[in-house]
Amino acid sequence: MINSDTYPTLADVVAERLDVVFVGINPGLASAVRGHSFSTPGNRMWPALHRSGFTPYRFRPEQERDLLGLGLGITSIVRRPTARAAELTPDEYLQGGEDLVRRMEALRPTWLAFLGVTGYRAAFGAVGAGVGAQSASIGGARVWVLPNPSGLNAHYPPAALAVEFARLRVAAGLPDRSGLLGDGPFGQSAG
């Protein structure tokens, strides 16, 4: 087994009062080593952000800090990198959830977008949570659960993943920055 305690932690990409902060479960080992979020080649986060209209082009992991200028950020529930989220303990999820609440109370984002129901359920005891808007708020932020963009998530092919991300973008009142969505229901902002 790999000792993930020897890997560096991954810095958050956050600032005060962002529109949406995307919340992963925890950093992968490859991302921790590279120093950038969602660095694994099979991860579909960056394509999903572009195809859904959050970004004007497909960002590379090393451009993650450019998200801040768009009102977007990235963090995780648990800060310890692992090869797979299955290596995390129930206590790590709960402690990570408490830590996330403290961090978000200070930063006051409008939306927290959890990348996968598993992490959200484990950290916040939200047993029945599913993809979409949640009734809960965390640190004053509204909560939305997105499908996990990992390449291992076969339930959501890239097009379906982009649709779910676009639903959040519209609910958050953000414009289609991609130019890919036209005049359909996901091409307009809600505001």
Side-chain angles (χ1 to χ4, degrees), residues 1 8 13 22 36 38 45 48-49 51 59 81 100 103 110 118 122 136 138 150 158 167 177 179 181:
M1 183 170 171
V13 178
F22 295 94
H36 300 290
F38 307 104
M45 178 67 169
L49 285 175
R51 290 182 71 179
F59 283 24
L100 180 68
R103 289 183 283 138
T110 304
T118 301
I138 295 175
S150 167
R167 288 179 56 223
R177 295 179 179 110
L181 302 176

Side-chain angles (χ1 to χ4, degrees), residues 10 15 23 27 34 39 57 76 84 86 102 116 119 134 166 179 185:
L10 194 59
V23 184
R34 292 179 181 122
S39 291
Y57 56 90
S76 60
R84 297 185 65 106
R102 284 189 297 275
Q134 307 299 306

Side-chain angles (χ1 to χ4, degrees), residues 6-33:
T6 62
Y7 284 81
T9 57
L10 194 59
D12 288 342
V13 178
V14 293
E16 291 183 2
R17 306 230 178 247
L18 294 174
D19 295 313
V20 179
V21 174
F22 295 94
V23 184
I25 295 173
N26 74 310
L29 295 179
S31 291
V33 167

Side-chain angles (χ1 to χ4, degrees), residues 88-171:
L88 298 174
T89 67
D91 281 345
E92 283 181 293
Y93 276 109
L94 294 174
Q95 290 171 9
E98 291 170 3
D99 178 50
L100 180 68
V101 169
R102 284 189 297 275
R103 289 183 283 138
M104 293 307 111
E105 284 174 342
L107 295 174
R108 309 295 294 170
T110 304
W111 287 91
L112 288 180
F114 286 85
L115 301 170
V117 296
T118 301
Y120 178 66
R121 287 175 181 167
F124 296 98
V127 178
V131 170
Q134 307 299 306
S135 60
S137 66
I138 295 175
R142 296 179 68 187
V143 174
W144 193 286
V145 175
L146 291 165
N148 191 321
S150 167
L152 300 174
N153 185 358
H155 297 295
Y156 284 89
L161 192 63
V163 166
E164 293 300 330
F165 274 63
R167 288 179 56 223
L168 166 60
R169 182 187 54 75
V170 170

